[in-house]
Structure formats: structure tokens, C-alpha cells
């Protein structure tokens, strides 16, 4: 479960919430956390039941490649591989610019804050951390789990401290402190935002659409499927790991939103975010060098030491999420090489820890390259439609689950009883697969709505589909090579990999 929770980056919604407030003015953020949790549960159950049928390292890569087609399975997982390492590249700047820099600003060291925000420092920080994650992952699953628990404990303690601060603060007290430190009154922020088109109330329509931002934070609740072969009791373990993670994460998201709403005022937070994005002069007068991300606002209602602790604890979710991305992408490369789509040398494992060290070295190098591209080129900006692509990936997996009981009857009948249950003679996994497709269509549509992304950029859309296409191309090259040497690649996919 810890893998799933940290993959989702708990409390990242203090950033996502600002964007949701800007794109969908009038959104009620705590409600989006509850709704995101509810719609994630049936999707999570689908993945949990599917994992019980084929509990293998590589997760849905193995499933799709055995039920639909090996090329489609590789295409799907290659998209995920590229997305995870690109998001990791974006998260390191979060750590330096949304955590380290504000901390040093609060400590009265603007020079250091400026230095840690530079591209050069960000890259050095990234390289050091990727090497650290490689060392942790190389020590095996237990070591990775221990480090993730440390990160989670840090984030949760920070959230509890923030909750304590919030419970002892009323919106009136926050308004007074905010006015004293910025010179701008609380009501002036609200009034200026309303004058510029911000609704002075919460809207159900904005909440339902703003749900897409919160759901982005939930992506990855099923990441334990990629280590399915490493669970002792996958039948119960995946339900606990996935559904349990969804409920725990949903509570954390709701709490993180609710405490800032109760202490600072939900409409005020929306108005402040709105003025920031439209670059209203009143926001410029606040002398806030950073965006109005919610964890920054605690500086107005607590002392420097506690504020620094809250921001530092918040930043641990960034580091924890990146560690999960590296651990999962390594397992994808291992699964690919086991099936001979990638050279088999990538499947070599350490005799003591069982860690696929060649795959780990490869992933670390690719992650560092992605970081360079993220910092010094605009290439990774083309990952702007990853939620849309993720929903395509999720839908393909759902289709494979829907046809599983009918195209792989022997495999399905040999599955644990929990995966074979039926409703009106229809397998539950089929029903959940259909629900997953419908939800994926909705979230995919919301992620591409004009309010979310403006006018659709054909180049970015082509890039998104191009990632899937590149996966197909790599598979085709591998298929041609193996055909030339007389070892048909498709033979690898006749059976399920051993546990």
C-alpha cells in the first residue's frame, strides 16, 4: 500500500488545488477529494481483481500483451515508462523551487533561495537524488519500502502539524495576519477577484469539472500491480494495497484541503489563485515571490520554525513519488527484457537482493537525460496531455480485462474465486472494466476541455499519440530482429512469465 500512496504524492494537491481554482473558478476542493476517491474505487477493484488473475512483475504490460497483442502491451507500458520519468523530471524543480527556495526565503537568506532555484543546482540535486534512488532500489523491495515509509511518516507528521495550526486559526485571524504582513486586506482580495469575473460562491459545475485536477493526483493508486509477483497473498494483498491506498489517500487529500478552507477560507483561496493567474496588480503588491500554493500561506499564521517544518515535510512527498517511479520503471524494463522485447541482459538480477541491476542502471541514465531535457529544452513541455494519454492506456487495459474471461477461459477459470465472481452471470471484472472505460472517457474529456488546456495544440496531441507510436515502432524493430535470427518474438508471449 505504501508504494501506491507515495506514488500519488500525498499533499501535492496544495499545488494542484491552486490550478483547479484558476481553471474552474468556484470549485469546492474538499468535495473533489471525496468524489475522486469514490470514482477511483471501482477502477482500483478492477486492477486488483485482474492482478489476482495474473500476479506478475510488469502488471498490465503482461496482461495486455497476453490478451490483446504483445505490441499493444508494450505500447501501453512504454507510454507509462516515458510519462513516469518525465514527471520525475518535473518534480525535482518542485523540490527546489516550491520547497527549498521558500524555506530559505523564510529564514532570511534570499541569496541562497535564488541559488537553489537555478537550473544548475536543480540538475545537480536531481543527479544526486537519482543516484540515491538507484542505491535504494538496488537493495531490494524491503529497503525501498522502508525509505517510502520514512517519507510517508514525514509527510503525514507535517500534515498533522499543519492541521494543528489550522485548528487554532479562524478565517478572521488569518485575514488579520494576512493584512498585517502584506498590506492588502482579505476582503480587498475577494472584491477584486469578483470584479474580474470570479464567482463569489461555490459552483457544482466547477466542482465536477475541477474534479479532474484532483483525480490527476490519484493517478497511480494501482501501481502495486507492477510488483504483483512479489506479493505473498496477491488475492487479498492487492485489494488491501489498492483500495486501502485510495481510501487513505482520499482522506489525506480531503484533510489537506479542509484545513486550509477552515482556517483561510475556501473562497479567499480561490480568489487569490485567480488574481495570481490573471496577473492582477493587487497580487503583485503582495510581494509574494511564489505562486499562492497553499502550503506557502501557513507563513501568515504561524512562526518561522513551524512554517519551515510544514514546507520541508510537504517536500518529502516529491522525493517519495520519484522513488516509486524509478522502482516501477525498472520492473517494466525487466519485464520487457524477460519477454525479449528488450535485450535479455536487462533482466540480469543481483544474486543477493534480486534487484535487476542492469535495468536499474538504464533507468537511472534515462531519468537523468529526461531531467536535462526538462531543464534546458522545451521537449518535455509536450507531455502536457499526459492525463489524456493515461486514460487511453487505462482504457486499453480495461478492454483486455473485459475480453479476458472469454478469450483466456482456462486462465480465468484457474484464477482465485474472488476474481471469478459474477453478477447476473456476467463476471465482475467485466462490469468493472466497463465502468473503468466510462470513467476514463469522462476524465480524458475533462482533461482536454478548453477550460483546462485552452485551444488544443496539434503538436502536443501528435506527440502524445507519438509516444504510443514509438512503443509500437520499438516492438516492431525487436520483432524484425528476432525473426531474422530465427527466434520468433511471439513465442515469448504464449505463456505467462513464472512467478
Amino acid at each position: 500500500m505504501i508504494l501506491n500512496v507515495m506514488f500519488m504524492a500525498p499533499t501535492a494537491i496544495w499545488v494542484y488545488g491552486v490550478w483547479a481554482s484558476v481553471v474552474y473558478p468556484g470549485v469546492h476542493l474538499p468535495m473533489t477529494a471525496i468524489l475522486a476517491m469514490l470514482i477511483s474505487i471501482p477502477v482500483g477493484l478492477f486492477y486488483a481483481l485482474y492482478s489476482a488473475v495474473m500476479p506478475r512483475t510488469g502488471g498490465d504490460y503482461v496482461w495486455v500483451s497476453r490478451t490483446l497483442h504483445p505490441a499493444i502491451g508494450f505500447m501501453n507500458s512504454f507510454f507509462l515508462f516515458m510519462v513516469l520519468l518525465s514527471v520525475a523530471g518535473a518534480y525535482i524543480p518542485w523540490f527546489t523551487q516550491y520547497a527549498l527556495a521558500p524555506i530559505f526565503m523564510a529564514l532570511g537568506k534570499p541569496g541562497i533561495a535564488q541559488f537553489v532555484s537555478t537550473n544548475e543546482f536543480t540538475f545537480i540535486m536531481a543527479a544526486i537524488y537519482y543516484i540515491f534512488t538507484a542505491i535504494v532500489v538496488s537493495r531490494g523491495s524491503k529497503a525501498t519500502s522502508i525509505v517510502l515509509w520514512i517519507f510517508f511518516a514525514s509527510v503525514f507528521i507535517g500534515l498533522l502539524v499543519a492541521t494543528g495550526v489550522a485548528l487554532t486559526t479562524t478565517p478572521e485571524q488569518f485575514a488579520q495576519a494576512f493584512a498585517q504582513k502584506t498590506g492588502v486586506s482579505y476582503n480587498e482580495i475577494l472584491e477584486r477577484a469578483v470584479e474580474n469575473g470570479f464567482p463569489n460562491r461555490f459552483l457544482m459545475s466547477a466542482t465536477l469539472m475541477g474534479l479532474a485536477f484532483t483525480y490527476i493526483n490519484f493517478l497511480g493508486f494501482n501501481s502495486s500491480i507492477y510488483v504483483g509477483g512479489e506479493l505473498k497473498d496477491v488475492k487479498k494483498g492487492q485489494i488491501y494495497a489498492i483500495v486501502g491506498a485510495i481510501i487513505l489517500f482520499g482522506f489525506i487529500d480531503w484533510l489537506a484541503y479542509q484545513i486550509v478552507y477552515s482556517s483561510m477560507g475556501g473562497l479567499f483561496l480561490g480568489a487569490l489563485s485567480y488574481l495570481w493567474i490573471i496577473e492582477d496588480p493587487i497580487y503583485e503588491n503582495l510581494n509574494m515571490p511564489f505562486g499562492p500554493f497553499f502550503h506557502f500561506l501557513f507563513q501568515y499564521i504561524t512562526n518561522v520554525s513551524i512554517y519551515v517544518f510544514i514546507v520541508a515535510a510537504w517536500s518529502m512527498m516529491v522525493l517519495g513519488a520519484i522513488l516509486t517511479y524509478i522502482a516501477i520503471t525498472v520492473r517494466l524494463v525487466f519485464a520487457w527484457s524477460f519477454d525479449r522485447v528488450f535485450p535479455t541482459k536487462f533482466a540480469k538480477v543481483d544474486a543477493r537482493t534480486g534487484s535487476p541491476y542492469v535495468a536499474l542502471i538504464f533507468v537511472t541514465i534515462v531519468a537523468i537525460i529526461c531531467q536535462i531535457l526538462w531543464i534546458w529544452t522545451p521537449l518535455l513541455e509536450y507531455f502536457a496531455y499526459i492525463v489524456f494519454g493515461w486514460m487511453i492506456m487505462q482504457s486499453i487495459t480495461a478492454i483486455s480485462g473485459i475480453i479476458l474471461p472469454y478469450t483466456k477461459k482456462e486462465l480465468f477459470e484457474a484464477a482465485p474465486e474472488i476474481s471469478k465472481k459474477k453478477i447476473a452471470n456476467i463476471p465482475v471484472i467485466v462490469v468493472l472494466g466497463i465502468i473503468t472505460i466510462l470513467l476514463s472517457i469522462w476524465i480524458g474529456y475533462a482533461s482536454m476541455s478548453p477550460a483546462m488546456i485552452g485551444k488544443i495544440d496539434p503538436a502536443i496531441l501528435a506527440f502524445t499519440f507519438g509516444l504510443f507510436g514509438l512503443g509500437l515502432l520499438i516492438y516492431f524493430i525487436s520483432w524484425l530482429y528476432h525473426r531474422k535470427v530465427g527466434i520468433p518474438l511471439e513465442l515469448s508471449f504464449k505463456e505467462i512469465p513464472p512467478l
Side-chain angles (χ1 to χ4, degrees):
M1 184 170 71
I2 189 62
L3 179 73
N4 295 337
V5 172
M6 292 309 298
F7 184 106
M8 294 183 280
T11 68
I13 40 84
W14 278 344
V15 173
Y16 288 119
V18 171
W19 296 337
S21 299
V22 166
V23 175
Y24 299 109
V27 61
H28 190 277
L29 296 173
M31 179 61 70
T32 66
I34 296 173
L35 293 175
M37 177 181 67
L38 293 176
I39 67 174
S40 296
I41 289 176
V43 181
L45 284 171
F46 166 76
Y47 278 95
L49 295 184
Y50 209 156
S51 186
V53 177
M54 282 189 272
R56 297 296 187 272
T57 295
D60 50 7
Y61 158 70
V62 176
W63 311 343
V64 176
S65 63
R66 269 67 180 179
T67 54
L68 293 178
H69 192 278
I72 298 175
F74 181 79
M75 174 193 75
N76 238 26
S77 60
F78 180 78
F79 175 83
L80 177 63
F81 176 86
M82 293 304 301
V83 165
L84 292 186
L85 294 185
S86 73
V87 172
Y91 265 1
I92 289 292
W94 277 36
F95 181 76
T96 57
Q97 297 171 18
Y98 295 171
L100 288 184
I103 286 173
F104 284 115
M105 287 291 292
L107 295 174
K109 300 184 183 297
I112 299 178
Q114 185 176 4
F115 171 71
V116 300
S117 297
T118 62
N119 289 340
E120 292 74 17
F121 178 85
T122 299
F123 175 71
I124 293 171
M125 174 70 211
I128 293 173
Y129 187 66
Y130 286 136
I131 292 172
F132 169 77
T133 58
I135 293 172
V136 172
V137 173
S138 71
R139 306 315 299 166
S141 300
K142 185 175 182 180
T144 303
S145 180
I146 290 172
V147 175
L148 288 176
W149 274 109
I150 293 172
F151 282 139
F152 174 75
S154 301
V155 173
F156 196 69
I157 292 171
L159 179 60
L160 291 179
V161 171
T163 301
V165 172
L167 289 176
T168 57
T169 305
T170 64
E172 291 75 22
Q173 291 171 322
F174 173 83
Q176 183 179 4
F178 181 83
Q180 288 177 347
K181 294 184 179 181
T182 66
V184 179
S185 75
Y186 187 94
N187 288 333
E188 192 175 354
I189 294 291
L190 286 167
E191 291 168 2
R192 179 64 68 88
V194 171
E195 290 173 3
N196 283 276
F198 180 80
N200 197 23
R201 61 192 177 92
F202 295 115
L203 303 173
M204 180 56 70
S205 58
T207 300
L208 292 176
M209 293 302 291
L211 166 63
F213 269 106
T214 302
Y215 189 78
I216 290 172
N217 204 199
F218 273 76
L219 294 180
F221 53 72
N222 59 340
S223 57
S224 57
I225 65 172
Y226 299 102
V227 298
E230 301 168 42
L231 297 179
K232 293 181 179 179
D233 183 4
V234 70
K235 179 174 64 175
K236 297 179 180 178
Q238 286 290 22
I239 292 179
Y240 166 77
I242 295 175
V243 179
I246 291 171
I247 295 172
L248 175 59
F249 189 80
F251 169 74
I252 290 173
D253 269 16
W254 173 84
L255 179 62
Y257 275 146
Q258 188 61 39
I259 62 174
V260 294
Y261 265 47
S262 65
S263 61
M264 304 172 192
L267 288 175
F268 172 82
L269 294 173
L272 185 63
S273 302
Y274 190 78
L275 293 178
W276 169 60
I277 204 65
I278 67 173
E279 299 181 348
D280 190 279
I282 196 173
Y283 188 87
E284 302 299 322
N285 295 336
L286 295 176
N287 193 30
M288 294 175 66
F290 311 103
F293 302 124
F294 299 159
H295 56 295
F296 295 161
L297 302 182
F298 281 94
Q299 64 183 297
Y300 299 116
I301 54 177
T302 189
N303 61 52
V304 172
S305 297
I306 295 178
Y307 168 66
V308 166
F309 179 81
I310 290 173
V311 175
W314 173 86
S315 72
M316 293 300 102
M317 65 87 189
V318 173
L319 302 182
I322 294 173
L323 177 56
T324 66
Y325 302 161
I326 298 299
I328 289 169
T329 49
V330 165
R331 284 162 172 80
L332 288 176
V333 173
F334 172 83
W336 299 341
S337 59
F338 190 89
D339 285 338
R340 295 185 293 115
V341 179
F342 263 35
T344 55
K345 70 173 79 173
F346 286 100
K348 290 183 178 180
V349 298
D350 184 274
R352 294 174 300 159
T353 63
S355 175
Y357 64 91
V358 179
L360 179 56
I361 294 171
F362 172 74
V363 167
T364 303
I365 293 172
V366 174
I368 292 175
I369 292 173
C370 285
Q371 191 67 63
I372 293 172
L373 294 174
W374 185 270
I375 294 174
W376 283 294
T377 78
L379 178 62
L380 294 187
E381 293 178 9
Y382 284 83
F383 283 85
Y385 299 164
I386 60 173
V387 176
F388 177 69
W390 193 295
M391 292 303 105
I392 293 174
M393 179 183 70
Q394 188 167 275
S395 296
I396 291 173
T397 302
I399 291 171
S400 77
I402 291 171
I403 69 171
L404 171 71
Y406 310 107
T407 60
K408 298 290 182 180
K409 292 183 179 180
E410 290 185 8
L411 178 63
F412 182 71
E413 291 302 323
E417 287 299 322
I418 192 170
S419 296
K420 296 189 294 182
K421 290 187 178 297
K422 296 182 178 181
I423 299 177
N425 209 33
I426 300 174
V428 172
I429 195 171
V430 172
V431 175
L432 292 173
I434 293 172
I435 293 173
T436 297
I437 290 176
L438 294 176
L439 290 174
S440 298
I441 292 172
W442 175 43
I443 296 298
Y445 166 76
S447 72
M448 296 294 285
S449 66
M452 180 82 86
I453 63 171
K455 185 178 180 180
I456 293 177
D457 189 321
I460 297 178
L461 186 62
F463 179 84
T464 303
F465 284 109
L467 288 176
F468 288 104
L470 181 57
L472 287 175
L473 177 61
I474 293 172
Y475 178 86
F476 181 66
I477 292 172
S478 180
W479 179 83
L480 283 177
Y481 167 78
H482 285 90
R483 186 179 183 185
K484 183 177 180 180
V485 298
I487 309 175
L489 185 59
E490 53 267 26
L491 293 179
S492 301
F493 300 92
K494 295 296 184 182
E495 301 292 338
I496 300 173
L499 281 168

Short mmCIF file of all heavy atoms in Angstrom, two decimals, residues 230-265:
data_model
loop_
_atom_site.label_atom_id
_atom_site.label_comp_id
_atom_site.label_asym_id
_atom_site.label_seq_id
_atom_site.Cartn_x
_atom_site.Cartn_y
_atom_site.Cartn_z
N GLU A 230 5.61 -10.07 -6.48
CA GLU A 230 6.39 -10.00 -5.25
C GLU A 230 5.52 -10.03 -3.99
O GLU A 230 6.04 -10.03 -2.87
CB GLU A 230 7.25 -8.72 -5.25
CG GLU A 230 8.20 -8.64 -6.44
CD GLU A 230 8.82 -7.27 -6.61
OE1 GLU A 230 9.21 -6.68 -5.59
OE2 GLU A 230 8.92 -6.80 -7.76
N LEU A 231 4.19 -10.03 -4.18
CA LEU A 231 3.28 -10.07 -3.03
C LEU A 231 3.05 -11.51 -2.60
O LEU A 231 2.90 -12.41 -3.43
CB LEU A 231 1.94 -9.41 -3.38
CG LEU A 231 1.98 -7.92 -3.74
CD1 LEU A 231 0.58 -7.43 -4.09
CD2 LEU A 231 2.55 -7.09 -2.59
N LYS A 232 2.97 -11.73 -1.30
CA LYS A 232 2.79 -13.08 -0.77
C LYS A 232 1.37 -13.58 -1.00
O LYS A 232 1.14 -14.72 -1.37
CB LYS A 232 3.13 -13.10 0.72
CG LYS A 232 4.62 -12.86 1.01
CD LYS A 232 4.91 -12.92 2.50
CE LYS A 232 6.39 -12.70 2.78
NZ LYS A 232 6.69 -12.74 4.24
N ASP A 233 0.38 -12.73 -0.75
CA ASP A 233 -1.02 -13.12 -0.93
C ASP A 233 -1.67 -12.10 -1.84
O ASP A 233 -2.32 -11.16 -1.39
CB ASP A 233 -1.74 -13.18 0.42
CG ASP A 233 -3.19 -13.67 0.29
OD1 ASP A 233 -3.60 -14.01 -0.84
OD2 ASP A 233 -3.90 -13.68 1.31
N VAL A 234 -1.47 -12.26 -3.15
CA VAL A 234 -1.94 -11.25 -4.09
C VAL A 234 -3.46 -11.16 -4.11
O VAL A 234 -4.03 -10.11 -4.40
CB VAL A 234 -1.39 -11.55 -5.50
CG1 VAL A 234 -2.03 -12.80 -6.08
CG2 VAL A 234 -1.58 -10.37 -6.42
N LYS A 235 -4.15 -12.26 -3.79
CA LYS A 235 -5.61 -12.27 -3.81
C LYS A 235 -6.18 -11.20 -2.89
O LYS A 235 -7.04 -10.42 -3.27
CB LYS A 235 -6.12 -13.66 -3.41
CG LYS A 235 -7.64 -13.77 -3.38
CD LYS A 235 -8.08 -15.20 -3.12
CE LYS A 235 -7.64 -15.68 -1.74
NZ LYS A 235 -8.17 -17.02 -1.45
N LYS A 236 -5.71 -11.17 -1.65
CA LYS A 236 -6.17 -10.16 -0.70
C LYS A 236 -5.25 -8.94 -0.70
O LYS A 236 -5.69 -7.82 -0.43
CB LYS A 236 -6.23 -10.76 0.71
CG LYS A 236 -7.22 -11.89 0.86
CD LYS A 236 -7.21 -12.45 2.28
CE LYS A 236 -8.20 -13.59 2.44
NZ LYS A 236 -8.16 -14.16 3.81
N GLY A 237 -3.97 -9.20 -1.00
CA GLY A 237 -2.99 -8.13 -0.90
C GLY A 237 -3.25 -6.96 -1.81
O GLY A 237 -3.10 -5.80 -1.42
N GLN A 238 -3.68 -7.24 -3.06
CA GLN A 238 -3.90 -6.15 -3.99
C GLN A 238 -5.14 -5.33 -3.63
O GLN A 238 -5.15 -4.11 -3.80
CB GLN A 238 -4.02 -6.68 -5.43
CG GLN A 238 -2.70 -7.12 -6.03
CD GLN A 238 -1.74 -5.96 -6.33
OE1 GLN A 238 -1.85 -4.89 -5.75
NE2 GLN A 238 -0.81 -6.19 -7.23
N ILE A 239 -6.18 -5.99 -3.15
CA ILE A 239 -7.36 -5.23 -2.73
C ILE A 239 -7.00 -4.31 -1.56
O ILE A 239 -7.38 -3.13 -1.54
CB ILE A 239 -8.51 -6.18 -2.33
CG1 ILE A 239 -9.02 -6.93 -3.57
CG2 ILE A 239 -9.65 -5.42 -1.66
CD1 ILE A 239 -10.13 -7.90 -3.29
N TYR A 240 -6.26 -4.85 -0.62
CA TYR A 240 -5.82 -4.04 0.51
C TYR A 240 -4.91 -2.91 0.03
O TYR A 240 -5.07 -1.74 0.43
CB TYR A 240 -5.07 -4.92 1.51
CG TYR A 240 -4.27 -4.16 2.54
CD1 TYR A 240 -4.89 -3.54 3.62
CD2 TYR A 240 -2.88 -4.05 2.44
CE1 TYR A 240 -4.16 -2.83 4.57
CE2 TYR A 240 -2.14 -3.35 3.37
CZ TYR A 240 -2.77 -2.75 4.43
OH TYR A 240 -2.04 -2.04 5.36
N ALA A 241 -3.96 -3.25 -0.84
CA ALA A 241 -2.98 -2.26 -1.29
C ALA A 241 -3.61 -1.16 -2.14
O ALA A 241 -3.27 0.01 -1.97
CB ALA A 241 -1.87 -2.96 -2.08
N ILE A 242 -4.52 -1.54 -3.03
CA ILE A 242 -5.09 -0.56 -3.95
C ILE A 242 -6.26 0.19 -3.33
O ILE A 242 -6.25 1.43 -3.26
CB ILE A 242 -5.52 -1.24 -5.27
CG1 ILE A 242 -4.28 -1.80 -5.99
CG2 ILE A 242 -6.27 -0.27 -6.17
CD1 ILE A 242 -4.59 -2.61 -7.24
N VAL A 243 -7.28 -0.53 -2.89
CA VAL A 243 -8.45 0.14 -2.31
C VAL A 243 -8.08 0.84 -1.01
O VAL A 243 -8.53 1.96 -0.75
CB VAL A 243 -9.60 -0.87 -2.10
CG1 VAL A 243 -10.80 -0.17 -1.47
CG2 VAL A 243 -10.00 -1.51 -3.42
N GLY A 244 -7.24 0.19 -0.21
CA GLY A 244 -6.78 0.83 1.03
C GLY A 244 -6.04 2.11 0.75
O GLY A 244 -6.22 3.12 1.46
N ALA A 245 -5.20 2.11 -0.28
CA ALA A 245 -4.45 3.31 -0.64
C ALA A 245 -5.39 4.42 -1.11
O ALA A 245 -5.18 5.60 -0.78
CB ALA A 245 -3.43 2.99 -1.72
N ILE A 246 -6.41 4.05 -1.88
CA ILE A 246 -7.37 5.04 -2.36
C ILE A 246 -8.08 5.72 -1.19
O ILE A 246 -8.21 6.96 -1.15
CB ILE A 246 -8.40 4.39 -3.30
CG1 ILE A 246 -7.74 3.97 -4.61
CG2 ILE A 246 -9.57 5.35 -3.58
CD1 ILE A 246 -8.62 3.12 -5.50
N ILE A 247 -8.53 4.93 -0.23
CA ILE A 247 -9.26 5.48 0.92
C ILE A 247 -8.35 6.34 1.78
O ILE A 247 -8.71 7.46 2.18
CB ILE A 247 -9.90 4.35 1.74
CG1 ILE A 247 -10.97 3.64 0.91
CG2 ILE A 247 -10.49 4.88 3.04
CD1 ILE A 247 -11.53 2.39 1.55
N LEU A 248 -7.15 5.83 2.07
CA LEU A 248 -6.20 6.61 2.88
C LEU A 248 -5.81 7.90 2.17
O LEU A 248 -5.80 8.97 2.78
CB LEU A 248 -4.96 5.77 3.18
CG LEU A 248 -3.82 6.49 3.92
CD1 LEU A 248 -4.31 7.02 5.26
CD2 LEU A 248 -2.63 5.56 4.10
N PHE A 249 -5.51 7.79 0.89
CA PHE A 249 -5.10 8.97 0.15
C PHE A 249 -6.25 9.96 0.02
O PHE A 249 -6.04 11.18 0.09
CB PHE A 249 -4.60 8.56 -1.24
CG PHE A 249 -3.97 9.67 -2.00
CD1 PHE A 249 -2.65 10.05 -1.75
CD2 PHE A 249 -4.67 10.35 -2.98
CE1 PHE A 249 -2.06 11.08 -2.45
CE2 PHE A 249 -4.08 11.39 -3.69
CZ PHE A 249 -2.78 11.75 -3.43
N GLY A 250 -7.46 9.44 -0.17
CA GLY A 250 -8.62 10.32 -0.25
C GLY A 250 -8.81 11.10 1.04
O GLY A 250 -9.13 12.30 1.01
N PHE A 251 -8.61 10.42 2.18
CA PHE A 251 -8.72 11.12 3.46
C PHE A 251 -7.64 12.19 3.60
O PHE A 251 -7.92 13.31 4.05
CB PHE A 251 -8.60 10.11 4.61
CG PHE A 251 -8.45 10.76 5.96
CD1 PHE A 251 -9.53 11.37 6.57
CD2 PHE A 251 -7.21 10.80 6.59
CE1 PHE A 251 -9.39 11.99 7.82
CE2 PHE A 251 -7.06 11.41 7.83
CZ PHE A 251 -8.15 12.01 8.44
N ILE A 252 -6.42 11.86 3.20
CA ILE A 252 -5.33 12.84 3.29
C ILE A 252 -5.62 14.05 2.41
O ILE A 252 -5.44 15.20 2.84
CB ILE A 252 -3.99 12.18 2.87
CG1 ILE A 252 -3.55 11.17 3.93
CG2 ILE A 252 -2.90 13.23 2.67
CD1 ILE A 252 -2.32 10.36 3.54
N ASP A 253 -6.09 13.81 1.19
CA ASP A 253 -6.42 14.92 0.30
C ASP A 253 -7.54 15.77 0.88
O ASP A 253 -7.48 17.00 0.86
CB ASP A 253 -6.83 14.38 -1.07
CG ASP A 253 -5.65 14.25 -2.01
OD1 ASP A 253 -4.51 14.28 -1.54
OD2 ASP A 253 -5.86 14.10 -3.23
N TRP A 254 -8.59 15.11 1.36
CA TRP A 254 -9.71 15.86 1.95
C TRP A 254 -9.24 16.68 3.14
O TRP A 254 -9.59 17.88 3.25
CB TRP A 254 -10.81 14.89 2.39
CG TRP A 254 -11.91 15.59 3.16
CD1 TRP A 254 -12.97 16.25 2.63
CD2 TRP A 254 -11.99 15.73 4.58
NE1 TRP A 254 -13.73 16.80 3.63
CE2 TRP A 254 -13.16 16.50 4.85
CE3 TRP A 254 -11.21 15.29 5.64
CZ2 TRP A 254 -13.54 16.82 6.14
CZ3 TRP A 254 -11.59 15.61 6.94
CH2 TRP A 254 -12.75 16.37 7.18
N LEU A 255 -8.44 16.07 4.02
CA LEU A 255 -7.96 16.79 5.20
C LEU A 255 -7.08 17.97 4.80
O LEU A 255 -7.22 19.07 5.36
CB LEU A 255 -7.17 15.83 6.10
CG LEU A 255 -6.58 16.44 7.38
CD1 LEU A 255 -7.69 16.96 8.29
CD2 LEU A 255 -5.73 15.40 8.12
N ALA A 256 -6.19 17.74 3.84
CA ALA A 256 -5.29 18.81 3.41
C ALA A 256 -6.07 20.00 2.86
O ALA A 256 -5.72 21.17 3.10
CB ALA A 256 -4.30 18.28 2.37
N TYR A 257 -7.13 19.72 2.11
CA TYR A 257 -7.97 20.79 1.58
C TYR A 257 -8.82 21.42 2.69
O TYR A 257 -8.95 22.64 2.77
CB TYR A 257 -8.90 20.25 0.50
CG TYR A 257 -8.29 20.19 -0.89
CD1 TYR A 257 -8.65 19.17 -1.77
CD2 TYR A 257 -7.38 21.15 -1.33
CE1 TYR A 257 -8.11 19.12 -3.06
CE2 TYR A 257 -6.84 21.09 -2.60
CZ TYR A 257 -7.21 20.08 -3.46
OH TYR A 257 -6.69 20.02 -4.73
N GLN A 258 -9.40 20.58 3.54
CA GLN A 258 -10.35 21.07 4.53
C GLN A 258 -9.70 22.00 5.53
O GLN A 258 -10.29 23.01 5.95
CB GLN A 258 -11.01 19.89 5.25
CG GLN A 258 -12.15 20.30 6.17
CD GLN A 258 -13.29 20.98 5.44
OE1 GLN A 258 -13.65 20.60 4.34
NE2 GLN A 258 -13.85 22.02 6.05
N ILE A 259 -8.46 21.71 5.92
CA ILE A 259 -7.83 22.55 6.95
C ILE A 259 -7.50 23.95 6.42
O ILE A 259 -7.59 24.94 7.17
CB ILE A 259 -6.56 21.89 7.53
CG1 ILE A 259 -5.50 21.68 6.47
CG2 ILE A 259 -6.91 20.60 8.24
CD1 ILE A 259 -4.17 21.17 7.02
N VAL A 260 -7.15 24.05 5.14
CA VAL A 260 -6.89 25.39 4.61
C VAL A 260 -8.20 26.12 4.35
O VAL A 260 -8.27 27.35 4.47
CB VAL A 260 -6.01 25.35 3.34
CG1 VAL A 260 -4.61 24.84 3.68
CG2 VAL A 260 -6.62 24.49 2.23
N TYR A 261 -9.25 25.39 4.01
CA TYR A 261 -10.56 26.01 3.83
C TYR A 261 -11.07 26.55 5.16
O TYR A 261 -11.60 27.66 5.22
CB TYR A 261 -11.56 24.99 3.26
CG TYR A 261 -11.69 25.04 1.76
CD1 TYR A 261 -10.57 25.09 0.94
CD2 TYR A 261 -12.94 25.04 1.14
CE1 TYR A 261 -10.68 25.13 -0.44
CE2 TYR A 261 -13.07 25.09 -0.24
CZ TYR A 261 -11.94 25.13 -1.02
OH TYR A 261 -12.06 25.18 -2.39
N SER A 262 -10.94 25.76 6.21
CA SER A 262 -11.49 26.16 7.51
C SER A 262 -10.71 27.30 8.15
O SER A 262 -11.27 28.12 8.87
CB SER A 262 -11.53 24.96 8.46
OG SER A 262 -10.22 24.52 8.76
N SER A 263 -9.42 27.37 7.90
CA SER A 263 -8.59 28.39 8.55
C SER A 263 -8.37 29.63 7.70
O SER A 263 -8.15 30.73 8.24
CB SER A 263 -7.23 27.80 8.94
OG SER A 263 -6.53 27.35 7.79
N MET A 264 -8.42 29.49 6.38
CA MET A 264 -8.11 30.62 5.49
C MET A 264 -9.31 31.06 4.66
O MET A 264 -9.33 32.19 4.17
CB MET A 264 -6.95 30.26 4.56
CG MET A 264 -5.69 29.83 5.29
SD MET A 264 -4.43 29.19 4.16
CE MET A 264 -3.28 28.43 5.32
N GLY A 265 -10.28 30.16 4.50
CA GLY A 265 -11.47 30.49 3.71
C GLY A 265 -11.34 29.99 2.30
O GLY A 265 -10.43 30.40 1.57
#
